[in-house]
Amino acid sequence: MLTDHLTLIYLVLGAGLVLLFWSADRFVDGAATISRIFRVSPLLIGMLLIGFFTSLPELVVSLLAAQQHHHDFALGNVIGSNIVNFSLVLGSMALVHPVLVHSNVIRKELPILLAITLLATLLMTDGTLSFADGWILLGCFGVLLVWSLVQVRLSSDDALVQEVNESFEKKQAKLNRAFFWLASGLLLMVVSSRMLVWGGLALATRYQISDISVSLSLVAFGTSLPELASSLAAIRRKEDDLALGNLLGSNLFNTLAVLGASAMVEPLQVHHQLMGRDLPLCLLLTLTVFLVGFRFKRTPRVNRIAGSGLFIGYFVYLYFVVS
Protein backbone atom coordinates (compact mmCIF):
# COMPACT_ATOMS: atom_id res chain seq x y z
CA MET A 1 0.00 0.00 0.00
CA LEU A 2 2.81 2.39 0.92
CA THR A 3 4.62 1.45 -2.29
CA ASP A 4 1.50 2.19 -4.33
CA HIS A 5 1.16 5.57 -2.63
CA LEU A 6 4.82 6.39 -3.33
CA THR A 7 4.39 5.40 -6.98
CA LEU A 8 1.42 7.77 -7.22
CA ILE A 9 3.50 10.62 -5.76
CA TYR A 10 6.25 10.08 -8.34
CA LEU A 11 3.72 9.82 -11.17
CA VAL A 12 2.02 13.06 -10.13
CA LEU A 13 5.38 14.84 -9.78
CA GLY A 14 6.61 13.61 -13.15
CA ALA A 15 3.36 14.44 -14.92
CA GLY A 16 3.25 17.84 -13.22
CA LEU A 17 6.79 18.73 -14.32
CA VAL A 18 6.19 17.67 -17.93
CA LEU A 19 2.82 19.41 -18.11
CA LEU A 20 4.19 22.57 -16.50
CA PHE A 21 7.04 22.75 -19.01
CA TRP A 22 4.78 22.07 -22.00
CA SER A 23 2.00 24.46 -20.95
CA ALA A 24 4.42 27.33 -20.23
CA ASP A 25 5.94 26.87 -23.70
CA ARG A 26 2.48 26.91 -25.36
CA PHE A 27 1.51 30.03 -23.40
CA VAL A 28 4.61 31.93 -24.46
CA ASP A 29 4.18 30.89 -28.10
CA GLY A 30 0.56 32.04 -28.08
CA ALA A 31 1.39 35.34 -26.43
CA ALA A 32 4.28 35.99 -28.81
CA THR A 33 2.06 35.39 -31.84
CA ILE A 34 -0.69 37.69 -30.52
CA SER A 35 1.90 40.37 -29.83
CA ARG A 36 3.23 40.17 -33.38
CA ILE A 37 -0.29 40.34 -34.84
CA PHE A 38 -1.04 43.50 -32.84
CA ARG A 39 2.44 44.89 -33.63
CA VAL A 40 3.70 45.25 -30.09
CA SER A 41 7.42 46.10 -29.88
CA PRO A 42 9.65 42.99 -30.15
CA LEU A 43 12.01 44.28 -27.46
CA LEU A 44 9.17 44.78 -24.97
CA ILE A 45 7.77 41.34 -25.77
CA GLY A 46 11.23 39.80 -25.56
CA MET A 47 11.77 41.27 -22.12
CA LEU A 48 8.26 40.50 -20.84
CA LEU A 49 7.41 37.20 -22.52
CA ILE A 50 10.69 35.41 -22.98
CA GLY A 51 12.09 36.68 -19.68
CA PHE A 52 9.10 37.29 -17.44
CA PHE A 53 6.42 34.91 -18.67
CA THR A 54 8.74 31.89 -18.62
CA SER A 55 8.61 32.52 -14.85
CA LEU A 56 4.84 32.03 -14.70
CA PRO A 57 5.33 28.51 -13.28
CA GLU A 58 7.21 30.02 -10.32
CA LEU A 59 4.42 32.57 -9.86
CA VAL A 60 1.59 30.03 -9.86
CA VAL A 61 3.42 27.53 -7.64
CA SER A 62 4.44 30.16 -5.07
CA LEU A 63 0.98 31.75 -4.97
CA LEU A 64 -0.66 28.38 -4.40
CA ALA A 65 1.88 27.51 -1.71
CA ALA A 66 1.34 30.85 0.05
CA GLN A 67 -2.43 30.41 -0.13
CA GLN A 68 -2.04 27.00 1.56
CA HIS A 69 0.21 28.54 4.28
CA HIS A 70 3.36 26.71 3.10
CA HIS A 71 5.73 29.67 3.48
CA ASP A 72 8.96 27.70 3.06
CA PHE A 73 7.62 26.22 -0.16
CA ALA A 74 6.65 29.62 -1.60
CA LEU A 75 9.97 31.29 -0.76
CA GLY A 76 12.19 28.30 -1.50
CA ASN A 77 10.72 27.96 -4.98
CA VAL A 78 11.60 31.56 -5.90
CA ILE A 79 15.09 31.67 -4.37
CA GLY A 80 15.91 28.17 -5.62
CA SER A 81 14.79 29.10 -9.15
CA ASN A 82 17.02 32.17 -9.18
CA ILE A 83 19.96 30.01 -8.06
CA VAL A 84 19.16 27.43 -10.77
CA ASN A 85 19.08 30.17 -13.44
CA PHE A 86 22.48 31.64 -12.57
CA SER A 87 24.25 28.34 -11.90
CA LEU A 88 22.81 25.32 -13.71
CA VAL A 89 21.18 27.14 -16.66
CA LEU A 90 23.94 29.72 -17.25
CA GLY A 91 26.57 27.02 -16.75
CA SER A 92 24.84 24.75 -19.28
CA MET A 93 24.68 27.61 -21.78
CA ALA A 94 28.41 28.31 -21.44
CA LEU A 95 29.21 24.61 -21.89
CA VAL A 96 27.40 24.66 -25.26
CA HIS A 97 29.54 27.66 -26.27
CA PRO A 98 30.92 30.75 -24.48
CA VAL A 99 28.19 33.31 -23.76
CA LEU A 100 29.02 36.75 -25.21
CA VAL A 101 27.20 39.90 -24.08
CA HIS A 102 26.76 42.59 -26.74
CA SER A 103 23.50 44.21 -25.61
CA ASN A 104 23.58 47.52 -23.78
CA VAL A 105 20.07 46.81 -22.50
CA ILE A 106 21.36 43.73 -20.69
CA ARG A 107 24.23 45.70 -19.21
CA LYS A 108 21.70 48.22 -17.90
CA GLU A 109 19.56 45.43 -16.42
CA LEU A 110 22.46 43.88 -14.50
CA PRO A 111 22.88 46.62 -11.85
CA ILE A 112 19.09 46.82 -11.51
CA LEU A 113 18.89 43.09 -10.80
CA LEU A 114 21.75 43.31 -8.31
CA ALA A 115 20.06 46.21 -6.48
CA ILE A 116 16.70 44.42 -6.44
CA THR A 117 18.23 41.19 -5.13
CA LEU A 118 19.92 43.17 -2.36
CA LEU A 119 16.64 44.97 -1.59
CA ALA A 120 14.72 41.69 -1.31
CA THR A 121 17.41 40.27 0.98
CA LEU A 122 17.26 43.33 3.23
CA LEU A 123 13.45 43.16 3.40
CA MET A 124 13.70 39.59 4.68
CA THR A 125 16.38 40.20 7.33
CA ASP A 126 13.67 40.68 9.99
CA GLY A 127 12.47 37.13 9.34
CA THR A 128 9.25 38.14 7.56
CA LEU A 129 8.20 39.22 4.09
CA SER A 130 5.20 41.37 5.05
CA PHE A 131 2.30 42.97 3.16
CA ALA A 132 4.27 46.23 3.13
CA ASP A 133 7.31 44.43 1.72
CA GLY A 134 5.08 42.92 -0.95
CA TRP A 135 3.83 46.38 -1.94
CA ILE A 136 7.42 47.64 -2.16
CA LEU A 137 8.45 44.78 -4.46
CA LEU A 138 5.36 45.11 -6.67
CA GLY A 139 5.89 48.88 -6.83
CA CYS A 140 9.45 48.30 -8.02
CA PHE A 141 8.08 45.88 -10.60
CA GLY A 142 5.77 48.59 -11.94
CA VAL A 143 8.69 51.02 -12.18
CA LEU A 144 10.69 48.34 -14.02
CA LEU A 145 7.89 47.92 -16.57
CA VAL A 146 7.89 51.67 -17.24
CA TRP A 147 11.68 51.57 -17.60
CA SER A 148 11.28 48.70 -20.08
CA LEU A 149 8.91 50.82 -22.18
CA VAL A 150 11.48 53.62 -22.24
CA GLN A 151 14.17 51.18 -23.35
CA VAL A 152 11.95 50.09 -26.24
CA ARG A 153 12.07 53.61 -27.65
CA LEU A 154 15.78 54.19 -27.03
CA SER A 155 17.26 50.85 -28.10
CA SER A 156 15.95 50.08 -31.57
CA ASP A 157 19.41 49.05 -32.85
CA ASP A 158 20.45 47.05 -29.78
CA ALA A 159 21.78 43.49 -30.23
CA LEU A 160 18.95 42.13 -28.07
CA VAL A 161 16.33 43.76 -30.31
CA GLN A 162 17.81 42.14 -33.41
CA GLU A 163 17.88 38.69 -31.80
CA VAL A 164 14.28 39.02 -30.56
CA ASN A 165 13.17 40.07 -34.05
CA GLU A 166 14.86 37.06 -35.64
CA SER A 167 13.43 34.71 -33.03
CA PHE A 168 9.89 36.03 -33.35
CA GLU A 169 9.92 35.85 -37.15
CA LYS A 170 9.72 32.07 -36.70
CA LYS A 171 6.58 32.25 -34.54
CA GLN A 172 3.69 32.43 -36.99
CA ALA A 173 0.15 31.26 -36.22
CA LYS A 174 -3.47 32.32 -36.72
CA LEU A 175 -5.05 34.61 -34.13
CA ASN A 176 -7.72 32.15 -32.93
CA ARG A 177 -5.11 29.43 -32.53
CA ALA A 178 -2.84 31.80 -30.60
CA PHE A 179 -5.69 32.69 -28.20
CA PHE A 180 -6.42 28.98 -27.72
CA TRP A 181 -2.80 28.26 -26.72
CA LEU A 182 -2.74 31.34 -24.50
CA ALA A 183 -5.84 30.28 -22.55
CA SER A 184 -5.13 26.54 -22.46
CA GLY A 185 -1.49 27.10 -21.54
CA LEU A 186 -2.48 29.26 -18.58
CA LEU A 187 -5.10 26.75 -17.41
CA LEU A 188 -2.71 23.81 -17.68
CA MET A 189 -0.03 25.74 -15.79
CA VAL A 190 -2.42 26.15 -12.86
CA VAL A 191 -3.35 22.45 -12.92
CA SER A 192 0.24 21.25 -13.24
CA SER A 193 1.40 23.64 -10.51
CA ARG A 194 -1.18 22.18 -8.13
CA MET A 195 0.13 18.71 -9.01
CA LEU A 196 3.68 19.85 -8.33
CA VAL A 197 2.84 21.41 -4.96
CA TRP A 198 0.88 18.35 -3.86
CA GLY A 199 3.58 15.93 -5.03
CA GLY A 200 6.39 17.93 -3.45
CA LEU A 201 4.65 18.16 -0.09
CA ALA A 202 3.71 14.47 -0.19
CA LEU A 203 7.30 13.52 -0.97
CA ALA A 204 8.59 15.68 1.87
CA THR A 205 6.17 14.01 4.29
CA ARG A 206 6.97 10.51 3.01
CA TYR A 207 10.75 10.87 3.44
CA GLN A 208 10.59 13.34 6.34
CA ILE A 209 12.34 16.01 4.27
CA SER A 210 11.64 19.66 5.05
CA ASP A 211 9.40 21.67 2.73
CA ILE A 212 12.23 24.10 2.14
CA SER A 213 14.62 21.38 0.91
CA VAL A 214 12.05 20.03 -1.55
CA SER A 215 11.17 23.51 -2.83
CA LEU A 216 14.82 24.57 -3.22
CA SER A 217 15.70 21.41 -5.13
CA LEU A 218 12.99 19.48 -6.96
CA VAL A 219 10.34 22.19 -7.30
CA ALA A 220 12.79 25.01 -8.13
CA PHE A 221 14.37 22.85 -10.83
CA GLY A 222 10.98 21.90 -12.24
CA THR A 223 9.67 25.47 -12.43
CA SER A 224 12.96 26.57 -14.05
CA LEU A 225 12.62 24.09 -16.92
CA PRO A 226 11.10 26.73 -19.28
CA GLU A 227 14.11 29.00 -18.70
CA LEU A 228 16.49 26.08 -19.25
CA ALA A 229 14.81 25.01 -22.48
CA SER A 230 14.38 28.50 -23.98
CA SER A 231 17.91 29.59 -23.04
CA LEU A 232 19.55 26.47 -24.47
CA ALA A 233 17.49 26.83 -27.65
CA ALA A 234 18.63 30.46 -27.99
CA ILE A 235 22.27 29.67 -27.27
CA ARG A 236 22.28 26.90 -29.90
CA ARG A 237 21.15 29.52 -32.40
CA LYS A 238 23.98 31.74 -31.09
CA GLU A 239 21.49 34.29 -29.76
CA ASP A 240 23.58 34.91 -26.65
CA ASP A 241 21.93 38.19 -25.63
CA LEU A 242 18.47 36.69 -25.94
CA ALA A 243 19.47 33.68 -23.81
CA LEU A 244 21.02 35.82 -21.07
CA GLY A 245 18.16 38.33 -21.28
CA ASN A 246 15.80 35.44 -20.57
CA LEU A 247 17.63 34.64 -17.32
CA LEU A 248 17.80 38.28 -16.22
CA GLY A 249 14.12 38.83 -16.95
CA SER A 250 13.21 35.64 -15.13
CA ASN A 251 15.16 36.56 -11.98
CA LEU A 252 13.75 40.10 -12.04
CA PHE A 253 10.22 38.73 -12.31
CA ASN A 254 10.81 36.12 -9.59
CA THR A 255 12.28 38.62 -7.14
CA LEU A 256 9.74 41.41 -7.68
CA ALA A 257 6.47 39.98 -8.97
CA VAL A 258 6.49 36.46 -7.52
CA LEU A 259 7.82 37.37 -4.07
CA GLY A 260 5.70 40.53 -3.98
CA ALA A 261 2.47 38.79 -5.01
CA SER A 262 3.10 35.86 -2.63
CA ALA A 263 3.54 38.27 0.29
CA MET A 264 0.25 39.94 -0.67
CA VAL A 265 -1.53 36.58 -0.38
CA GLU A 266 -0.12 36.09 3.12
CA PRO A 267 2.89 37.51 5.01
CA LEU A 268 5.66 34.94 4.69
CA GLN A 269 7.90 33.74 7.51
CA VAL A 270 11.51 33.44 6.30
CA HIS A 271 13.31 30.24 7.35
CA HIS A 272 16.70 30.79 9.00
CA GLN A 273 18.30 28.47 6.40
CA LEU A 274 17.29 30.84 3.62
CA MET A 275 18.89 33.79 5.39
CA GLY A 276 22.07 31.93 6.28
CA ARG A 277 22.76 29.99 3.08
CA ASP A 278 20.43 30.40 0.10
CA LEU A 279 19.84 34.16 -0.03
CA PRO A 280 23.57 34.97 0.33
CA LEU A 281 24.35 32.45 -2.44
CA CYS A 282 21.69 34.02 -4.69
CA LEU A 283 23.19 37.45 -4.03
CA LEU A 284 26.72 36.17 -4.72
CA LEU A 285 25.69 34.60 -8.05
CA THR A 286 23.95 37.83 -9.07
CA LEU A 287 27.06 39.83 -8.16
CA THR A 288 29.21 37.41 -10.20
CA VAL A 289 27.01 37.81 -13.31
CA PHE A 290 27.04 41.59 -12.78
CA LEU A 291 30.85 41.66 -12.72
CA VAL A 292 31.01 39.47 -15.83
CA GLY A 293 28.66 41.86 -17.64
CA PHE A 294 30.90 44.85 -16.87
CA ARG A 295 34.28 43.54 -17.95
CA PHE A 296 36.29 46.49 -19.15
CA LYS A 297 37.98 46.75 -22.59
CA ARG A 298 36.90 43.26 -23.63
CA THR A 299 33.51 41.88 -24.66
CA PRO A 300 31.80 40.45 -21.54
CA ARG A 301 31.66 36.66 -21.72
CA VAL A 302 31.06 33.52 -19.69
CA ASN A 303 33.55 30.95 -21.00
CA ARG A 304 33.45 27.15 -20.68
CA ILE A 305 35.71 27.13 -17.61
CA ALA A 306 33.39 29.50 -15.76
CA GLY A 307 30.41 27.55 -17.09
CA SER A 308 31.85 24.30 -15.74
CA GLY A 309 32.33 25.93 -12.35
CA LEU A 310 28.72 27.14 -12.27
CA PHE A 311 27.39 23.78 -13.50
CA ILE A 312 29.33 21.71 -10.96
CA GLY A 313 28.73 24.28 -8.23
CA TYR A 314 24.97 23.83 -8.58
CA PHE A 315 25.20 20.11 -7.83
CA VAL A 316 27.49 20.78 -4.86
CA TYR A 317 24.88 23.22 -3.57
CA LEU A 318 22.15 20.65 -4.23
CA TYR A 319 24.02 18.11 -2.11
CA PHE A 320 23.99 20.44 0.88
CA VAL A 321 20.32 21.24 0.36
CA VAL A 322 19.11 17.63 0.43
CA SER A 323 21.64 16.24 2.93
Side-chain angles (χ1 to χ4, degrees):
M1 187 69 179
L2 287 174
T3 304
D4 292 341
H5 181 61
L6 187 60
T7 301
L8 176 63
I9 292 174
Y10 282 123
L11 285 174
V12 170
L13 276 173
L17 287 172
V18 172
L19 190 59
L20 189 65
F21 174 79
W22 185 84
S23 59
D25 190 49
R26 297 286 79 76
F27 180 89
V28 172
D29 280 351
T33 300
I34 290 170
S35 301
R36 281 191 60 80
I37 290 172
F38 288 102
R39 298 182 180 179
V40 180
S41 166
L43 176 60
L44 179 61
I45 299 307
M47 294 175 71
L48 296 185
L49 291 182
I50 298 177
F52 292 170
F53 285 177
T54 52
S55 290
L56 278 174
E58 285 91 338
L59 176 63
V60 179
V61 167
S62 288
L63 287 178
L64 289 173
Q67 185 183 37
Q68 297 170 17
H69 315 298
H70 296 292
H71 299 180
D72 291 343
F73 213 87
L75 289 169
N77 172 45
V78 173
I79 297 166
S81 294
N82 284 2
I83 291 172
V84 169
N85 284 345
F86 276 169
S87 56
L88 178 65
V89 179
L90 183 56
S92 300
M93 287 161 48
L95 287 175
V96 173
H97 77 73
V99 181
L100 302 177
V101 183
H102 300 100
S103 171
N104 288 324
V105 172
I106 287 179
R107 297 186 71 174
K108 291 176 183 177
E109 280 187 345
L110 284 169
I112 293 174
L113 177 58
L114 181 60
I116 285 170
T117 305
L118 181 59
L119 171 64
T121 303
L122 292 174
L123 290 176
M124 287 187 272
T125 52
D126 62 354
T128 305
L129 195 66
S130 65
F131 283 120
D133 297 335
W135 276 115
I136 290 172
L137 293 174
L138 289 176
C140 290
F141 182 62
V143 172
L144 179 64
L145 289 181
V146 173
W147 178 85
S148 299
L149 288 170
V150 173
Q151 291 305 302
V152 168
R153 296 182 179 275
L154 298 179
S155 308
S156 58
D157 59 345
D158 188 79
L160 180 59
V161 181
Q162 297 171 8
E163 290 184 5
V164 170
N165 272 317
E166 292 172 2
S167 177
F168 276 32
E169 284 295 334
K170 303 170 185 176
K171 294 182 181 295
Q172 301 288 342
K174 293 182 179 179
L175 185 60
N176 58 350
R177 192 174 188 181
F179 274 118
F180 170 77
W181 285 125
L182 191 71
S184 60
L186 183 59
L187 176 63
L188 288 174
M189 272 195 290
V190 174
V191 172
S192 58
S193 295
R194 284 191 176 274
M195 294 168 64
L196 199 58
V197 170
W198 179 87
L201 292 172
L203 196 66
T205 302
R206 174 67 177 80
Y207 288 111
Q208 297 184 333
I209 305 172
S210 65
D211 287 0
I212 196 165
S213 295
V214 173
S215 62
L216 284 166
S217 54
L218 178 63
V219 178
F221 173 77
T223 55
S224 294
L225 282 176
E227 287 92 337
L228 177 62
S230 59
S231 293
L232 287 178
I235 209 72
R236 283 197 299 269
R237 296 191 300 266
K238 297 186 178 181
E239 297 170 343
D240 299 28
D241 292 292
L242 186 58
L244 186 56
N246 171 34
L247 298 187
L248 295 180
S250 175
N251 281 19
L252 284 167
F253 186 85
N254 287 345
T255 306
L256 294 177
V258 181
L259 282 181
S262 299
M264 297 303 295
V265 172
E266 179 173 281
L268 303 174
Q269 299 300 313
V270 184
H271 197 285
H272 65 88
Q273 265 189 359
L274 289 175
M275 292 305 306
R277 180 192 62 196
D278 307 294
L279 274 169
L281 176 60
C282 185
L283 190 57
L284 177 62
L285 287 170
T286 305
L287 176 61
T288 301
V289 176
F290 167 77
L291 293 175
V292 167
F294 278 85
R295 290 178 65 185
F296 296 101
K297 296 183 179 179
R298 291 181 293 176
T299 301
R301 62 181 298 180
V302 181
N303 59 31
R304 285 192 172 93
I305 295 176
S308 299
L310 291 171
F311 186 85
I312 295 170
Y314 172 72
F315 290 99
V316 173
Y317 162 74
L318 199 61
Y319 170 79
F320 286 104
V321 167
V322 299
S323 62

